[in-house]
Amino acid sequence: MAVGRIIETPECVEEGAEWLATACPRMAYAMQKTGPLPLRRRPDGFSQLLSAIVSQQVSVASANAIWKRLKDAKLTGPRKIMWSTDDDLRAVGLSRQKIRYARALAEARIDYTALRDASDEEVVAVLTEVPGIGVWTAEIYAMFSLGRADVIAPGDLALQEAARILYDLQKRPTDKELRLMAEAWSPWRSVAARVLWAYYRVAKEREGIR
């Protein structure tokens, strides 16, 4: 399957938002509440996935602090991770499990340039072969580091809760249920995700994703 539309600029997000507002009145309502949506583009490559591993199961503040220590110690590249000792990595705040995940990512030798031309399904398949990289992380990487316009991360609890509120559902949709709902938002599923995350913050007045 060929690579689809890539989100490069705020104008791309606006185009997707206009399409969604026309296609779905509830999306239009949500965007009235949220205002303009963020671009959220990030670089691609090893450090983005290492940052995702660092962020797992800790608060945003803790993840930011650990990431700063990693950067200060110049431990954000694959060779530096492989050359470092466990003590070096523990000293910056990585747990035993995250040290294992960081080393597995470094040893995977992923061709990040090739991923830019891989299908969404291939991106997820390649990344989830690495211990510590689940489907959610792979889909987030596809959305924001690769700019894929038609990817969503239905396992995300904030997306599920935002969908429950916005669509007046009796309960939070499951991963599978939200993936089915999202078919109606294609070819702009990643913009729909931006809408739901923004709406979640409005509805819940909680901190968003890192």
Side-chain angles (χ1 to χ4, degrees), residues 51-88:
S51 176
I53 288 171
V54 167
S55 299
Q56 291 172 3
Q57 298 178 325
V58 296
S59 69
V60 172
S62 294
N64 287 339
I66 295 168
W67 187 246
K68 183 179 185 303
R69 290 197 290 271
L70 277 164
K71 288 200 296 185
D72 291 346
K74 296 182 170 56
L75 289 172
T76 58
R79 285 179 294 181
K80 293 293 184 69
I81 292 293
M82 287 193 286
W83 294 341
S84 63
T85 66
D86 285 2
D87 285 343
D88 293 334

Side-chain angles (χ1 to χ4, degrees), residues 129-183:
E129 286 181 2
V130 181
I133 303 293
V135 172
W136 180 88
T137 300
E139 288 170 334
I140 293 294
Y141 183 88
M143 291 166 68
F144 299 133
S145 290
L146 297 178
R148 302 301 171 87
D150 201 28
V151 174
I152 194 167
D156 189 277
L157 294 180
L159 290 182
Q160 293 173 4
E161 181 65 6
R164 181 190 69 79
I165 298 167
L166 182 60
Y167 288 88
D168 196 24
L169 305 175
Q170 289 189 336
K171 63 180 181 66
R172 186 186 294 164
T174 64
D175 180 326
K176 184 176 181 180
E177 288 167 344
L178 185 54
R179 197 176 291 278
L180 286 172
M181 283 181 68
E183 290 178 4

Side-chain angles (χ1 to χ4, degrees), residues 109-131:
R109 300 185 183 277
I110 294 167
D111 186 341
Y112 293 101
T113 302
L115 285 185
R116 297 172 187 172
D117 297 318
S119 70
D120 300 335
E121 294 79 8
E122 288 172 323
V123 170
V124 173
V126 168
L127 296 184
T128 54
E129 286 181 2
V130 181

